[in-house]
Amino acid sequence: MSTPENKKLNVLMCGTVDYLGMVGVNGGKFPAIRQHLDKNIGGVYKDMNLIFDEFPKEGKVDPEAYKAAIDELNPGDAVIIFTPDSTHFPIALYAIERGLHVLITKPATQKLEHHNTLIEAAKKKGVVCWVEHHKRDAKARVATLGEFNFFNAWMAQPKSQLETFKAWAGKDSDISYYLSSHHVDICCWILQDLAVPTRVVASAAQGIATSEPFNCVPGTEDTITLLIDFQSLKSPNHKGTAISTASWTAPLKSGVHTSQHWYYMGHFDGQRGYGYISIEKFVDAARSVNAGEAQPNVFNGQGFPTIENTVLTTAILHAGRISLDEKRPVGIKKEGDKWVLE
């Protein structure tokens, strides 16, 4: 059976990509990964090439195996990074500095200064660097709604996620970076050329993640809410407010794995969205740059989640983390051509 999304998968794996390398930390996991691919891809789709090179090799553990994998590639090849948030920056920078195109899962980085570094590095090397904000492939029409006034979004996953992500929950990242990155990016994307964020205040609920049976590290938040102030770029008299809430302590067996909603007082069409299309578009962009048909900067104005036009998403998420840690509002402003926190 072939659906539109299956066709996208076929294009991605059979026509667009001719080599696949897979990188982890523990090489002992690759036999199970191959079994998973054989069963769920090879056993379902016709004529799928599931061969990949693994880094590190079976039986070895190497947190920096990504360097060996990247060193095997040639300038113009593409790297897709789906790793814990705290590792995005060093891996992406290592790849960019070697002339590789890079797609990073959201959030691009945890710190605004790291995001700015990736922007400059990608410009210097002339490569495509995007962030896998797949919800941008949902269409939003707000240009005719006038000045921005209010945006509200929430996303929640069940408490079982605390077991799934126990290795890093509250240590290397938090639930706001993990889930609010979706809707914060949607809001910033909608408001491009309309309004910019100026201040973030964060608040959090605690007590479930750190208790039995989850026992996450002290300080791990259950739910984080960001209150974001926006200033109109067209009218000094117009200001807007956005609220983004993320939680991983929703009840078990509540009907859906991810409960989410966002509201902008406008029309939303969310079809043809999740994952496949955003990856395909990134690969197509990399190929067009390699062929000399486009320059990486042309994609900034076409609605794609480039490293350059996703910087405010990182600014807001980073500001939220600082607000929680330092218990104060955090300002966002532009100094020259860079966004900074204050």
Side-chain angles (χ1 to χ4, degrees), residues 297-339:
N297 62 354
V298 304
F299 303 111
N300 290 325
Q302 297 179 6
F304 296 113
T306 68
I307 193 67
E308 190 166 346
N309 69 30
T310 56
V311 64
L312 290 178
T313 301
T314 297
I316 290 170
L317 295 171
H318 189 190
R321 186 66 257 171
I322 294 173
S323 179
L324 287 173
D325 292 342
E326 300 182 6
K327 297 178 174 56
R328 66 175 179 88
V330 178
I332 302 173
K333 68 176 183 179
K334 198 169 189 179
E335 291 185 349
D337 60 352
K338 288 187 177 180
W339 289 94

Coordinates of all heavy atoms in Angstrom, one line a residue, residues 297-339:
N297 N 22.1 31.0 1.5 CA 21.4 32.0 2.1 C 20.0 32.3 1.4 O 19.2 33.0 2.0 CB 22.2 33.3 2.1 CG 22.6 33.8 0.7 OD1 22.3 33.2 -0.3 ND2 23.2 35.0 0.6
V298 N 19.8 31.8 0.2 CA 18.5 32.0 -0.5 C 17.4 31.3 0.3 O 16.2 31.8 0.1 CB 18.5 31.5 -2.0 CG1 19.7 32.1 -2.7 CG2 18.6 30.0 -2.0
F299 N 17.7 30.3 1.0 CA 16.6 29.6 1.7 C 16.1 30.3 3.0 O 15.0 30.0 3.5 CB 17.1 28.2 2.1 CG 17.5 27.4 1.0 CD1 18.9 27.1 0.8 CD2 16.7 26.9 0.0 CE1 19.4 26.3 -0.2 CE2 17.1 26.2 -1.1 CZ 18.5 25.9 -1.2
N300 N 16.8 31.4 3.4 CA 16.4 32.1 4.6 C 15.0 32.8 4.4 O 14.2 32.9 5.3 CB 17.4 33.2 5.0 CG 18.7 32.6 5.5 OD1 18.7 31.6 6.2 ND2 19.8 33.2 5.2
G301 N 14.8 33.2 3.1 CA 13.5 34.0 2.9 C 12.4 33.1 2.3 O 11.4 33.7 1.8
Q302 N 12.6 31.8 2.3 CA 11.6 30.9 1.7 C 10.8 30.1 2.7 O 10.2 29.1 2.4 CB 12.3 30.0 0.7 CG 13.0 30.7 -0.4 CD 13.7 29.8 -1.4 OE1 13.6 28.6 -1.3 NE2 14.4 30.4 -2.4
G303 N 10.9 30.5 4.0 CA 10.1 29.8 5.0 C 10.7 28.5 5.6 O 10.2 27.9 6.5
F304 N 11.9 28.2 5.1 CA 12.6 27.0 5.7 C 13.3 27.3 7.0 O 13.7 28.4 7.2 CB 13.6 26.5 4.7 CG 13.1 26.0 3.3 CD1 13.3 26.7 2.2 CD2 12.2 24.9 3.3 CE1 12.8 26.3 1.0 CE2 11.7 24.5 2.1 CZ 12.0 25.2 0.9
P305 N 13.4 26.3 7.9 CA 14.0 26.5 9.2 C 15.5 26.5 9.1 O 16.1 25.6 9.6 CB 13.4 25.3 10.0 CG 13.2 24.2 9.0 CD 12.8 24.9 7.8
T306 N 16.1 27.5 8.5 CA 17.5 27.6 8.4 C 18.1 28.0 9.8 O 17.4 28.4 10.7 CB 17.9 28.7 7.4 OG1 17.6 30.0 7.9 CG2 17.3 28.5 6.1
I307 N 19.4 27.7 10.0 CA 20.0 28.1 11.3 C 19.9 29.5 11.5 O 19.8 30.0 12.7 CB 21.5 27.6 11.3 CG1 22.1 27.6 12.7 CG2 22.3 28.4 10.3 CD1 21.5 26.6 13.6
E308 N 19.8 30.4 10.5 CA 19.8 31.8 10.7 C 18.4 32.3 11.1 O 18.3 33.1 12.0 CB 20.2 32.5 9.4 CG 20.4 34.0 9.5 CD 21.1 34.6 8.4 OE1 21.7 33.9 7.6 OE2 21.0 35.9 8.3
N309 N 17.3 31.7 10.5 CA 16.0 32.2 10.9 C 15.3 31.4 12.0 O 14.1 31.7 12.2 CB 15.1 32.4 9.6 CG 14.7 31.1 9.0 OD1 14.6 30.1 9.7 ND2 14.4 31.1 7.7
T310 N 16.1 30.6 12.6 CA 15.6 29.9 13.8 C 16.2 30.4 15.1 O 16.0 29.9 16.2 CB 15.8 28.4 13.8 OG1 17.2 28.1 13.6 CG2 14.9 27.7 12.6
V311 N 17.0 31.5 15.0 CA 17.8 31.9 16.1 C 16.9 32.4 17.3 O 17.3 32.3 18.5 CB 18.8 33.0 15.7 CG1 18.1 34.3 15.2 CG2 19.8 33.4 16.8
L312 N 15.8 33.0 17.0 CA 14.9 33.5 18.0 C 14.3 32.4 18.8 O 13.9 32.5 20.0 CB 13.8 34.5 17.5 CG 14.4 35.8 17.0 CD1 13.2 36.6 16.4 CD2 15.1 36.6 18.1
T313 N 14.1 31.2 18.2 CA 13.6 30.1 19.0 C 14.6 29.7 20.0 O 14.2 29.5 21.2 CB 13.4 28.9 18.0 OG1 12.4 29.3 17.0 CG2 12.8 27.7 18.8
T314 N 15.8 29.6 19.7 CA 16.9 29.3 20.7 C 17.0 30.4 21.7 O 17.1 30.1 22.9 CB 18.2 29.1 20.0 OG1 18.2 28.0 19.1 CG2 19.4 28.9 21.0
A315 N 16.9 31.7 21.3 CA 16.9 32.8 22.2 C 15.9 32.6 23.3 O 16.1 32.8 24.5 CB 16.8 34.1 21.5
I316 N 14.6 32.3 22.9 CA 13.5 32.2 23.9 C 13.7 31.0 24.8 O 13.5 31.1 26.0 CB 12.2 32.1 23.1 CG1 11.9 33.4 22.4 CG2 11.1 31.7 24.0 CD1 10.7 33.4 21.5
L317 N 14.1 29.9 24.3 CA 14.3 28.7 25.1 C 15.5 28.9 26.1 O 15.4 28.5 27.3 CB 14.6 27.5 24.2 CG 13.4 27.0 23.3 CD1 13.9 26.0 22.3 CD2 12.2 26.5 24.1
H318 N 16.6 29.5 25.6 CA 17.7 29.8 26.5 C 17.3 30.8 27.6 O 17.6 30.6 28.8 CB 18.9 30.3 25.7 CG 20.1 30.4 26.4 ND1 21.3 31.0 25.9 CD2 20.5 30.0 27.7 CE1 22.2 31.0 26.8 NE2 21.8 30.3 27.8
A319 N 16.6 31.8 27.2 CA 16.1 32.8 28.2 C 15.2 32.1 29.2 O 15.3 32.5 30.4 CB 15.3 33.9 27.4
G320 N 14.4 31.2 28.8 CA 13.5 30.5 29.7 C 14.3 29.7 30.8 O 14.0 29.7 32.0
R321 N 15.4 29.0 30.3 CA 16.2 28.3 31.2 C 16.9 29.2 32.2 O 17.0 28.9 33.4 CB 17.3 27.5 30.4 CG 18.1 26.5 31.2 CD 17.3 25.4 31.8 NE 17.1 25.6 33.2 CZ 16.3 24.8 33.9 NH1 15.6 23.8 33.3 NH2 16.1 25.0 35.2
I322 N 17.4 30.3 31.7 CA 18.1 31.3 32.6 C 17.0 31.9 33.6 O 17.3 32.0 34.8 CB 18.7 32.4 31.8 CG1 19.9 31.9 31.0 CG2 19.2 33.5 32.8 CD1 20.5 32.9 30.0
S323 N 15.8 32.2 33.2 CA 14.8 32.7 34.0 C 14.5 31.7 35.2 O 14.3 32.1 36.3 CB 13.5 33.0 33.2 OG 12.5 33.5 34.0
L324 N 14.4 30.4 34.9 CA 14.2 29.4 35.9 C 15.3 29.3 36.9 O 15.1 29.3 38.1 CB 13.9 28.1 35.3 CG 12.6 27.8 34.6 CD1 12.6 26.5 33.9 CD2 11.4 27.9 35.5
D325 N 16.5 29.3 36.3 CA 17.7 29.1 37.2 C 18.0 30.3 38.1 O 18.4 30.2 39.2 CB 19.0 28.8 36.3 CG 18.9 27.5 35.7 OD1 18.1 26.6 36.1 OD2 19.6 27.3 34.7
E326 N 17.8 31.5 37.5 CA 18.2 32.8 38.2 C 17.0 33.5 38.8 O 17.1 34.6 39.4 CB 19.0 33.7 37.3 CG 20.3 33.0 36.8 CD 21.1 33.9 35.9 OE1 20.7 35.1 35.7 OE2 22.1 33.5 35.3
K327 N 15.8 33.0 38.5 CA 14.5 33.5 39.1 C 14.4 35.0 38.7 O 14.1 35.8 39.6 CB 14.4 33.3 40.6 CG 14.4 31.8 40.9 CD 14.4 31.6 42.4 CE 14.2 30.1 42.8 NZ 15.2 29.2 42.2
R328 N 14.4 35.3 37.4 CA 14.3 36.7 37.0 C 13.8 36.7 35.5 O 14.0 35.7 34.8 CB 15.7 37.4 37.1 CG 16.7 36.9 36.1 CD 18.0 37.7 36.2 NE 19.0 37.2 35.3 CZ 19.2 37.5 34.0 NH1 18.3 38.4 33.5 NH2 20.2 37.0 33.3
P329 N 13.2 37.8 35.1 CA 12.9 38.0 33.7 C 14.2 38.1 32.9 O 15.3 38.6 33.4 CB 12.1 39.3 33.6 CG 11.7 39.6 35.0 CD 12.7 39.0 35.9
V330 N 14.2 37.7 31.7 CA 15.4 37.8 30.8 C 15.0 38.5 29.5 O 14.1 38.1 28.8 CB 15.9 36.4 30.4 CG1 17.1 36.5 29.5 CG2 16.3 35.6 31.7
G331 N 15.8 39.5 29.2 CA 15.5 40.3 28.0 C 16.2 39.7 26.8 O 17.2 39.0 26.9
I332 N 15.6 40.0 25.6 CA 16.1 39.6 24.3 C 16.2 40.9 23.5 O 15.3 41.6 23.3 CB 15.2 38.6 23.6 CG1 15.0 37.4 24.5 CG2 15.8 38.2 22.3 CD1 14.0 36.4 23.9
K333 N 17.4 41.1 22.9 CA 17.6 42.3 22.1 C 18.6 42.0 21.0 O 19.4 41.0 21.0 CB 18.0 43.5 22.9 CG 19.4 43.4 23.4 CD 19.8 44.7 24.2 CE 21.2 44.7 24.7 NZ 21.6 45.9 25.4
K334 N 18.6 42.9 20.0 CA 19.6 42.7 18.9 C 20.7 43.7 19.0 O 20.4 44.9 19.1 CB 18.9 42.9 17.5 CG 19.6 42.3 16.3 CD 18.8 42.3 15.1 CE 19.5 41.5 14.0 NZ 18.6 41.4 12.8
E335 N 21.9 43.3 19.0 CA 23.1 44.1 19.0 C 23.8 44.0 17.7 O 24.4 42.9 17.4 CB 24.0 43.8 20.1 CG 23.5 44.1 21.5 CD 24.5 43.9 22.6 OE1 25.5 43.2 22.3 OE2 24.2 44.3 23.7
G336 N 23.7 45.0 16.8 CA 24.3 44.8 15.5 C 23.5 43.8 14.7 O 22.3 44.0 14.5
D337 N 24.1 42.7 14.2 CA 23.4 41.7 13.5 C 23.2 40.4 14.3 O 22.9 39.4 13.8 CB 24.1 41.4 12.2 CG 25.5 40.9 12.4 OD1 26.0 40.9 13.6 OD2 26.2 40.4 11.5
K338 N 23.5 40.5 15.6 CA 23.3 39.4 16.5 C 22.3 39.6 17.6 O 22.1 40.7 18.1 CB 24.6 39.0 17.2 CG 25.7 38.4 16.2 CD 26.9 37.9 17.0 CE 27.9 37.3 16.1 NZ 29.1 36.8 16.8
W339 N 21.5 38.5 17.9 CA 20.6 38.5 19.0 C 21.3 38.1 20.3 O 22.1 37.1 20.3 CB 19.4 37.6 18.7 CG 18.5 38.1 17.7 CD1 18.5 37.9 16.4 CD2 17.4 39.1 17.9 NE1 17.5 38.6 15.7 CE2 16.8 39.3 16.6 CE3 16.9 39.7 19.0 CZ2 15.8 40.2 16.4 CZ3 15.8 40.6 18.8 CH2 15.3 40.8 17.5

